[in-house]
mmCIF file of all heavy atoms in Angstrom:
data_model
loop_
_atom_site.group_PDB
_atom_site.id
_atom_site.type_symbol
_atom_site.label_atom_id
_atom_site.label_comp_id
_atom_site.label_asym_id
_atom_site.label_seq_id
_atom_site.Cartn_x
_atom_site.Cartn_y
_atom_site.Cartn_z
ATOM 1 N N VAL A 265 237.144 90.830 108.740
ATOM 2 C CA VAL A 265 238.242 91.532 109.416
ATOM 3 C C VAL A 265 239.436 91.548 108.472
ATOM 4 O O VAL A 265 239.769 90.535 107.850
ATOM 5 C CB VAL A 265 238.637 90.839 110.745
ATOM 6 C CG1 VAL A 265 239.854 91.526 111.367
ATOM 7 C CG2 VAL A 265 237.469 90.839 111.720
ATOM 8 N N LYS A 266 240.059 92.711 108.339
ATOM 9 C CA LYS A 266 241.237 92.842 107.481
ATOM 10 C C LYS A 266 242.192 93.864 108.091
ATOM 11 O O LYS A 266 241.805 94.539 109.066
ATOM 12 C CB LYS A 266 240.813 93.240 106.067
ATOM 13 C CG LYS A 266 239.731 94.280 105.975
ATOM 14 C CD LYS A 266 239.264 94.466 104.535
ATOM 15 C CE LYS A 266 238.216 95.557 104.429
ATOM 16 N NZ LYS A 266 236.860 95.071 104.727
ATOM 17 N N PRO A 267 243.410 93.982 107.550
ATOM 18 C CA PRO A 267 244.355 94.915 108.163
ATOM 19 C C PRO A 267 243.764 96.320 108.326
ATOM 20 O O PRO A 267 243.997 96.981 109.341
ATOM 21 C CB PRO A 267 245.530 94.919 107.182
ATOM 22 C CG PRO A 267 245.509 93.544 106.582
ATOM 23 C CD PRO A 267 244.044 93.187 106.474
ATOM 24 N N VAL A 284 239.533 85.322 111.666
ATOM 25 C CA VAL A 284 239.780 85.961 110.374
ATOM 26 C C VAL A 284 239.756 84.923 109.258
ATOM 27 O O VAL A 284 240.548 83.982 109.272
ATOM 28 C CB VAL A 284 241.170 86.645 110.398
ATOM 29 C CG1 VAL A 284 241.404 87.401 109.102
ATOM 30 C CG2 VAL A 284 241.308 87.572 111.595
ATOM 31 N N GLY A 285 238.861 85.076 108.308
ATOM 32 C CA GLY A 285 238.776 84.144 107.194
ATOM 33 C C GLY A 285 239.702 84.569 106.059
ATOM 34 O O GLY A 285 240.913 84.326 106.088
ATOM 35 N N GLY A 286 239.134 85.204 105.066
ATOM 36 C CA GLY A 286 239.853 85.567 103.848
ATOM 37 C C GLY A 286 241.221 86.202 104.077
ATOM 38 O O GLY A 286 242.205 85.844 103.419
ATOM 39 N N ALA A 287 241.286 87.127 105.035
ATOM 40 C CA ALA A 287 242.542 87.854 105.252
ATOM 41 C C ALA A 287 243.585 87.021 106.000
ATOM 42 O O ALA A 287 244.700 87.498 106.234
ATOM 43 C CB ALA A 287 242.277 89.163 105.996
ATOM 44 N N SER A 288 243.245 85.775 106.371
ATOM 45 C CA SER A 288 244.255 84.948 107.047
ATOM 46 C C SER A 288 245.031 84.090 106.050
ATOM 47 O O SER A 288 245.924 83.338 106.444
ATOM 48 C CB SER A 288 243.599 84.040 108.095
ATOM 49 O OG SER A 288 242.878 82.977 107.485
ATOM 50 N N LEU A 289 244.695 84.201 104.795
ATOM 51 C CA LEU A 289 245.335 83.330 103.799
ATOM 52 C C LEU A 289 246.715 83.828 103.388
ATOM 53 O O LEU A 289 247.509 83.073 102.836
ATOM 54 C CB LEU A 289 244.427 83.180 102.569
ATOM 55 C CG LEU A 289 243.089 82.461 102.832
ATOM 56 C CD1 LEU A 289 242.167 82.554 101.623
ATOM 57 C CD2 LEU A 289 243.320 80.995 103.210
ATOM 58 N N LYS A 290 246.985 85.108 103.643
ATOM 59 C CA LYS A 290 248.312 85.652 103.310
ATOM 60 C C LYS A 290 249.045 85.991 104.605
ATOM 61 O O LYS A 290 248.508 86.738 105.436
ATOM 62 C CB LYS A 290 248.151 86.924 102.480
ATOM 63 C CG LYS A 290 247.616 86.674 101.086
ATOM 64 C CD LYS A 290 247.874 87.879 100.194
ATOM 65 C CE LYS A 290 247.300 87.657 98.820
ATOM 66 N NZ LYS A 290 246.403 88.751 98.405
ATOM 67 N N ASP A 293 249.096 89.693 105.609
ATOM 68 C CA ASP A 293 247.799 90.246 106.037
ATOM 69 C C ASP A 293 247.459 89.786 107.440
ATOM 70 O O ASP A 293 247.029 90.585 108.284
ATOM 71 C CB ASP A 293 246.680 89.802 105.085
ATOM 72 C CG ASP A 293 246.740 90.534 103.753
ATOM 73 O OD1 ASP A 293 247.543 91.478 103.623
ATOM 74 O OD2 ASP A 293 245.992 90.142 102.835
ATOM 75 N N LEU A 294 247.639 88.492 107.713
ATOM 76 C CA LEU A 294 247.341 87.983 109.057
ATOM 77 C C LEU A 294 248.239 88.673 110.076
ATOM 78 O O LEU A 294 247.796 89.080 111.152
ATOM 79 C CB LEU A 294 247.530 86.453 109.105
ATOM 80 C CG LEU A 294 247.189 85.811 110.445
ATOM 81 C CD1 LEU A 294 245.742 86.083 110.868
ATOM 82 C CD2 LEU A 294 247.436 84.296 110.408
ATOM 83 N N ILE A 297 247.109 92.161 110.913
ATOM 84 C CA ILE A 297 245.958 92.158 111.845
ATOM 85 C C ILE A 297 246.459 91.896 113.273
ATOM 86 O O ILE A 297 246.051 92.560 114.221
ATOM 87 C CB ILE A 297 244.916 91.109 111.405
ATOM 88 C CG1 ILE A 297 244.289 91.546 110.067
ATOM 89 C CG2 ILE A 297 243.847 90.904 112.471
ATOM 90 C CD1 ILE A 297 243.438 90.500 109.378
#
Side-chain angles (χ1 to χ4, degrees):
V265 175
K266 42 187 182 276
V284 184
S288 73
L289 295 171
K290 291 197 182 127
D293 286 352
L294 182 58
I297 293 169

